[in-house]
Amino acid sequence: MLRIRLRRTGKKKQPYYRVVVADQRAPRDGDFVEVIGHYNPRTNPSTIDLKEDRVKHWLSVGAQPSETVHRVLHKAGLMETAPPPRPTKPSKAEREAESAATSAAAAAIAEAESAAAAAAAAAVAEASTDDAAADDAESSDDS
Protein backbone atom coordinates (compact mmCIF):
# COMPACT_ATOMS: atom_id res chain seq x y z
CA MET A 1 0.00 0.00 0.00
CA LEU A 2 1.24 3.47 -0.84
CA ARG A 3 1.31 6.23 1.71
CA ILE A 4 1.73 9.96 1.39
CA ARG A 5 4.08 10.88 4.20
CA LEU A 6 6.90 13.14 5.30
CA ARG A 7 10.56 12.47 4.56
CA ARG A 8 12.87 14.41 6.84
CA THR A 9 15.69 16.48 5.40
CA GLY A 10 17.53 19.49 6.75
CA LYS A 11 20.19 19.93 9.39
CA LYS A 12 20.25 18.61 12.90
CA LYS A 13 17.56 20.31 15.02
CA GLN A 14 16.34 22.17 11.90
CA PRO A 15 13.76 19.88 10.33
CA TYR A 16 12.53 20.38 6.81
CA TYR A 17 10.29 17.78 5.19
CA ARG A 18 9.57 16.53 1.70
CA VAL A 19 6.05 15.25 1.14
CA VAL A 20 6.55 11.95 -0.69
CA VAL A 21 4.60 8.97 -1.93
CA ALA A 22 6.27 5.81 -0.62
CA ASP A 23 5.53 2.20 0.17
CA GLN A 24 4.32 1.97 3.75
CA ARG A 25 7.00 -0.65 4.58
CA ALA A 26 9.89 1.58 3.40
CA PRO A 27 11.89 3.39 6.10
CA ARG A 28 11.08 7.05 6.79
CA ASP A 29 14.03 8.41 4.83
CA GLY A 30 14.29 5.45 2.45
CA ASP A 31 12.97 4.78 -1.04
CA PHE A 32 10.03 6.73 -2.37
CA VAL A 33 7.99 6.87 -5.56
CA GLU A 34 7.62 10.62 -6.05
CA VAL A 35 8.20 13.93 -4.26
CA ILE A 36 4.92 15.85 -4.32
CA GLY A 37 5.77 18.80 -2.12
CA HIS A 38 7.70 20.39 0.74
CA TYR A 39 6.75 21.31 4.31
CA ASN A 40 8.66 23.59 6.65
CA PRO A 41 7.22 23.65 10.19
CA ARG A 42 9.84 26.13 11.46
CA THR A 43 8.43 29.19 9.71
CA ASN A 44 5.55 31.14 11.18
CA PRO A 45 3.08 30.21 9.70
CA SER A 46 4.32 26.83 8.44
CA THR A 47 5.33 26.80 4.78
CA ILE A 48 3.44 24.24 2.69
CA ASP A 49 4.39 23.88 -0.99
CA LEU A 50 2.46 21.08 -2.76
CA LYS A 51 1.91 19.94 -6.33
CA GLU A 52 -1.88 19.89 -6.08
CA ASP A 53 -2.51 17.91 -9.25
CA ARG A 54 -0.10 15.14 -8.15
CA VAL A 55 -1.58 15.04 -4.63
CA LYS A 56 -5.07 14.64 -6.09
CA HIS A 57 -3.80 11.95 -8.47
CA TRP A 58 -2.20 9.87 -5.71
CA LEU A 59 -5.25 10.23 -3.47
CA SER A 60 -7.46 9.12 -6.37
CA VAL A 61 -5.42 5.95 -6.96
CA GLY A 62 -5.66 4.98 -3.28
CA ALA A 63 -2.57 6.36 -1.55
CA GLN A 64 -3.35 6.94 2.13
CA PRO A 65 -1.95 10.06 3.84
CA SER A 66 -0.25 9.72 7.20
CA GLU A 67 -1.90 11.53 10.12
CA THR A 68 0.49 14.48 9.88
CA VAL A 69 0.18 14.75 6.10
CA HIS A 70 -3.61 14.56 6.48
CA ARG A 71 -3.40 17.64 8.72
CA VAL A 72 -1.13 19.42 6.22
CA LEU A 73 -3.42 18.59 3.27
CA HIS A 74 -6.49 19.70 5.22
CA LYS A 75 -4.76 22.96 6.12
CA ALA A 76 -3.86 23.47 2.44
CA GLY A 77 -7.47 22.81 1.42
CA LEU A 78 -6.80 19.57 -0.49
CA MET A 79 -8.80 17.30 1.84
CA GLU A 80 -12.36 17.99 2.91
CA THR A 81 -12.45 15.60 5.86
CA ALA A 82 -10.97 16.93 9.05
CA PRO A 83 -8.11 14.91 10.53
CA PRO A 84 -8.96 12.86 13.61
CA PRO A 85 -8.30 14.68 16.89
CA ARG A 86 -5.16 13.67 18.67
CA PRO A 87 -5.70 12.04 22.04
CA THR A 88 -4.33 14.33 24.71
CA LYS A 89 -3.62 13.85 28.36
CA PRO A 90 -6.19 15.67 30.52
CA SER A 91 -4.94 18.79 32.27
CA LYS A 92 -4.51 18.96 36.04
CA ALA A 93 -7.71 21.03 36.39
CA GLU A 94 -9.67 18.46 34.35
CA ARG A 95 -8.30 15.58 36.46
CA GLU A 96 -9.20 17.41 39.70
CA ALA A 97 -12.71 18.20 38.43
CA GLU A 98 -13.23 14.57 37.44
CA SER A 99 -12.02 13.27 40.81
CA ALA A 100 -14.27 15.77 42.63
CA ALA A 101 -17.24 14.67 40.53
CA THR A 102 -16.60 10.98 41.19
CA SER A 103 -16.16 11.56 44.93
CA ALA A 104 -19.39 13.59 45.03
CA ALA A 105 -21.18 10.82 43.15
CA ALA A 106 -19.78 8.21 45.54
CA ALA A 107 -20.94 10.28 48.53
CA ALA A 108 -24.43 10.62 47.02
CA ILE A 109 -24.61 6.87 46.43
CA ALA A 110 -23.47 6.13 49.99
CA GLU A 111 -26.05 8.58 51.37
CA ALA A 112 -28.81 6.99 49.27
CA GLU A 113 -27.79 3.51 50.42
CA SER A 114 -27.82 4.54 54.08
CA ALA A 115 -31.24 6.18 53.65
CA ALA A 116 -32.56 3.03 51.97
CA ALA A 117 -31.13 0.88 54.79
CA ALA A 118 -32.75 3.13 57.40
CA ALA A 119 -36.10 2.94 55.59
CA ALA A 120 -35.83 -0.84 55.39
CA ALA A 121 -35.01 -1.04 59.11
CA ALA A 122 -38.01 1.18 59.93
CA ALA A 123 -40.26 -1.00 57.77
CA VAL A 124 -39.03 -4.15 59.53
CA ALA A 125 -39.53 -2.55 62.95
CA GLU A 126 -43.07 -1.42 62.00
CA ALA A 127 -43.90 -4.86 60.67
CA SER A 128 -42.70 -6.52 63.89
CA THR A 129 -44.80 -4.15 66.07
CA ASP A 130 -47.84 -4.89 63.87
CA ASP A 131 -47.21 -8.63 64.31
CA ALA A 132 -46.86 -8.23 68.06
CA ALA A 133 -50.11 -6.27 68.21
CA ALA A 134 -51.84 -8.94 66.14
CA ASP A 135 -50.50 -11.67 68.43
CA ASP A 136 -51.76 -9.75 71.48
CA ALA A 137 -55.16 -9.38 69.85
CA GLU A 138 -55.33 -13.12 69.13
CA SER A 139 -54.31 -14.06 72.65
CA SER A 140 -56.96 -11.76 74.16
CA ASP A 141 -59.60 -13.29 71.87
CA ASP A 142 -58.65 -16.79 73.06
CA SER A 143 -59.24 -15.96 76.72
Side-chain angles (χ1 to χ4, degrees), residues 2-78:
L2 292 176
R3 278 188 93 69
I4 301 174
R5 64 182 187 194
L6 299 177
R7 182 175 200 255
R8 185 180 164 129
T9 59
K11 298 180 198 173
K12 182 194 240 182
K13 304 211 185 240
Q14 296 180 11
Y16 185 81
Y17 298 95
R18 290 183 182 156
V19 182
V20 299
V21 177
D23 187 88
Q24 70 177 6
R25 295 171 300 206
R28 180 191 72 183
D29 296 336
D31 290 340
F32 59 92
V33 178
E34 181 180 2
V35 176
I36 58 175
H38 299 277
Y39 170 61
N40 186 359
R42 300 188 71 228
T43 60
N44 193 3
S46 300
T47 305
I48 303 168
D49 178 32
L50 298 167
K51 299 176 187 172
E52 294 182 22
D53 58 331
R54 297 309 294 164
V55 171
K56 290 177 182 176
H57 165 75
W58 284 110
L59 289 173
S60 70
V61 296
Q64 295 293 315
S66 68
E67 184 179 324
T68 305
V69 171
H70 190 146
R71 289 179 199 292
V72 170
L73 294 177
H74 183 72
K75 195 178 203 181
L78 295 173

Side-chain angles (χ1 to χ4, degrees), residues 110-124:
E111 185 178 320
E113 287 175 353
S114 65
V124 168

